Amino acid sequence: MLSDREILSTLEMLRSEHLDVRTVTLGVSLFDCADPDVHAFCDKVRQKIVRLAQNLVSVCDDVGDKYGIPVVNKRVAVSPIAVVGASLGREDLVKVAQTLDEAARTVRVDFIGGFSALVEKGFTNGDVSLIDAIPEALAQTERVCASVNVAATKAGINMDAVYMMGHVIKRTAEATAHADGIGCAKLCVFANIPPDIPFMAGAYLGIGEPECVINVGVSGPGVVRKAIDRARRANPGLDLGQLAEVIKRTAFKVTSVGELIGREVARKLGIPFGVVDLSLAPTPNVGDSVGEIFQSLGLKSIGVPGSTAVLAMLNDAVKKGGAFASSYVGGLSGAFIPVSEDLNISEAARKGHLSLEKLEAMTSVCSVGLDMVALPGDTSAETLAAIIADEMAIGVINRKTTATRLIPVPGKKAGEKAFFGGLLGEATIIPVPNGELSSEFIRLGGRIPAPVQSLNN
């Protein structure tokens, strides 16, 4: 049972420490909408999403008002379109993306995910058509998010898909060049993608999931930092083991709040409750940064030596506290380190404390990967593919989810800034050392075999 002090600290989290529920995401299965006629397919998709999601925003707002805890984002995730629209061609799939966008606008959610393909072991015709349609689909829509899973621990890395995604990212950036390549901010390339992510751009409703479900993503980087600061002020002699305990207990409270809101929303909508994603999700706002936690733990900046160790401790403590608060934990569940979406991380990149190589090293212990990383616009498709391949290898070998959201900003060079606006923030473009020396490797293609599981070292 929580003590009086812990209850008071929870109230303080609500009042002044940016505690909120970052996202409530409604998963909608579209398998019963499959139809070889694109017009019939789109009609079924539109009707089903609007029917199930029409009250999502109002119910989230009502529940948030009731408890004084804002639900920042309300979103929809659908079955992978490459599967349910497997009989459709490229042009038809662009129309499907436009339908998803219209449905999202109708029900007033800010993003809809699931323009996705799962190709870790190979391609179907539907997968190829969807991947080819991604640049045009993201350029012609506002709220649609896409993801492609190109690797898995049990399948290895589909290097043909990795190379293909290098070209798709380049085409997407060029198609949205007027906005610094913002289409790439809505496109994730994954290894080991979970089927129940509530966060965008990777959210989709996986095979094996219910007809519809509510998944919740909590927040809390500002809350964790304030808890560490309070603990260190009260007792300057605390060591890292004791501070990990502080983070763990804070994560317990944050997760409890998220599950309370999620279950209430699910009950009011008459929809099953799914999972709580324990990820610490930052925003570009002051005081809501994962990067600031590193400073509270004694580092001058995220990115300096010691950062990977701090991130590993933070991730583990958050998972331990969250797992005790909820029996239904899923999604990504870790700390996000998106460069543009976190003011402190973006500033560390601008000052040169955080390089592409250090970001990659840190992703070996976090749950996401190279997230919202702005790169020079002349970065080649082969170099993008090589960066993706490195990140996929980290996920595959370590049996964890990793992803990339890379943005080669058209017409801009390293050191310049890219502006995406809103929650997506802004980022200094970071250089890619030795970027053009990987082309021969990437062009070999094929599939890197799955790693042996029993000889860990």
Side-chain angles (χ1 to χ4, degrees), residues 149 151-154 190-194 395-402:
N149 193 69
T153 297
K154 292 190 176 180
F190 273 95
N192 295 322
I193 186 172
V396 166
I397 297 297
N398 292 292
R399 299 184 295 277
K400 66 189 288 296
T401 301
T402 54

Side-chain angles (χ1 to χ4, degrees), residues 9 63 86 140 169 275 310 414 431:
S9 71
V63 173
Q140 295 191 9
I169 291 170
V275 301
V310 166

Side-chain angles (χ1 to χ4, degrees), residues 277-343:
D277 184 316
L278 305 179
S279 299
L280 289 180
T283 70
N285 300 324
V286 175
D288 201 22
S289 162
V290 170
E292 290 173 345
I293 297 173
F294 289 67
Q295 294 172 336
S296 292
L297 288 170
L299 296 178
K300 293 298 182 185
S301 168
I302 184 172
V304 303
S307 298
T308 307
V310 166
L311 185 58
M313 185 189 88
L314 175 65
N315 245 1
D316 181 68
V318 167
K319 288 179 181 178
K320 285 173 177 170
F324 188 59
S326 175
S327 297
Y328 297 98
V329 173
L332 297 167
S333 292
F336 291 171
I337 50 171
V339 176
S340 76
E341 296 176 5
D342 185 307
L343 189 64

